[in-house]
Amino acid sequence: RDLGHKGAAARAYGEAAFRYHRRGDSLKALQVHEAAESSLPEHPEIYRCRARLLLEAGKPEESQPMVVKALQALQDQGGRLAGLRLVRDLLEGLSAPGLAWVQLAERLSSLGHVQEAADAFEVAVTGLEEGGFEPAFRQVARRLLEHDSTRSAVARRLANSHRDAGEYGNALRALRLACRASPEDMQLLDLVVDCLLQVGREESAVVVLKAQDVPGSADFVKEMIEVTSP
């Protein structure tokens, strides 16, 4: 059978499992899913239904691996946008965004849906930052800014992270994006000056401090962008 018929069969299995689940017969729901996985191995709809069932059962930690498998299966089969959006809806119910959000973002990006990819990257960025996974946060934040360089708050958080890691050149690159997107943000000034001083560019730091009297002006923005250039 083609993928359309298999998808319909997978959804039928899923709905049957949900009926048992809502009646309180979790064992029967699990048996239906096991039969589905046996009949339709590696089908994304099977994993998606299993993830939804686990999520509704209050088991988000068991649901997330199923979402990751659904994403991988969708990718292997050239997943369509509709399927990816269904998986995104599931991810929104999970409390610990991470790898699955990055995979979703990369898949949306490969299909040309840049803004939806950026939104998914931002969820991952927030989760990684809150979890204290700074190297991963920096990597994913850079991917986000490659898709949407106007997200100045992310650029500023990325610059802070690079500065705290002693990566002042990378911090200045992130600040350049932040200055372009949000020239009126005076919180950027101290960051720019600090990073410039750290890399021995005292004259550039002085230029920025002299231009700060008119934040948001063309001259100030021009100076901020020029001094944060490599």
Side-chain angles (χ1 to χ4, degrees), residues 95-220:
S95 59
L99 173 63
W101 279 103
V102 176
Q103 288 185 320
L104 175 61
E106 293 291 4
R107 186 59 192 153
L108 287 166
S109 176
S110 71
L111 293 174
H113 300 284
V114 176
Q115 285 305 311
E116 288 192 61
D119 290 342
F121 275 126
E122 187 153 10
V123 177
V125 160
T126 300
L128 291 167
E129 186 178 30
E130 290 176 352
F133 302 105
E134 288 298 316
F137 158 74
R138 291 193 289 271
Q139 182 179 0
V140 178
R142 286 194 295 269
R143 285 292 288 146
L144 164 57
L145 293 169
E146 288 171 8
H147 287 73
D148 185 355
S149 62
T150 67
R151 304 199 184 200
S152 59
V154 173
R156 175 158 35 87
R157 283 151 52 198
L158 176 60
N160 265 312
S161 182
H162 277 305
R163 182 192 63 175
D164 292 345
E167 300 171 354
Y168 301 108
N170 286 332
L172 286 168
R173 278 187 278 275
L175 284 167
R176 189 169 191 231
L177 293 176
C179 291
R180 285 186 183 277
S182 189
E184 74 287 349
D185 186 352
M186 291 302 292
Q187 293 182 53
L188 298 173
L189 179 67
D190 290 340
L191 267 174
V192 170
V193 171
D194 183 32
C195 290
L196 289 170
L197 292 175
Q198 291 291 345
V199 296
R201 293 173 58 184
E202 291 84 358
E203 291 184 6
S204 295
V206 171
V207 168
V208 172
L209 289 169
K210 285 182 177 179
Q212 71 176 309
D213 292 336
V214 195
S217 71
D219 287 344
F220 179 72

Side-chain angles (χ1 to χ4, degrees), residues 10 14 37 39 47 59 62-63 88 91 97 101 123-124 133 155 160 167 177 219 222 228:
E37 289 179 32
S39 300
Y47 294 127
K59 299 178 179 179
E62 294 180 36
S63 178
R88 179 197 61 198
L91 283 172
W101 279 103
V123 177
F133 302 105
N160 265 312
E167 300 171 354
L177 293 176
D219 287 344
K222 181 172 179 287
T228 52

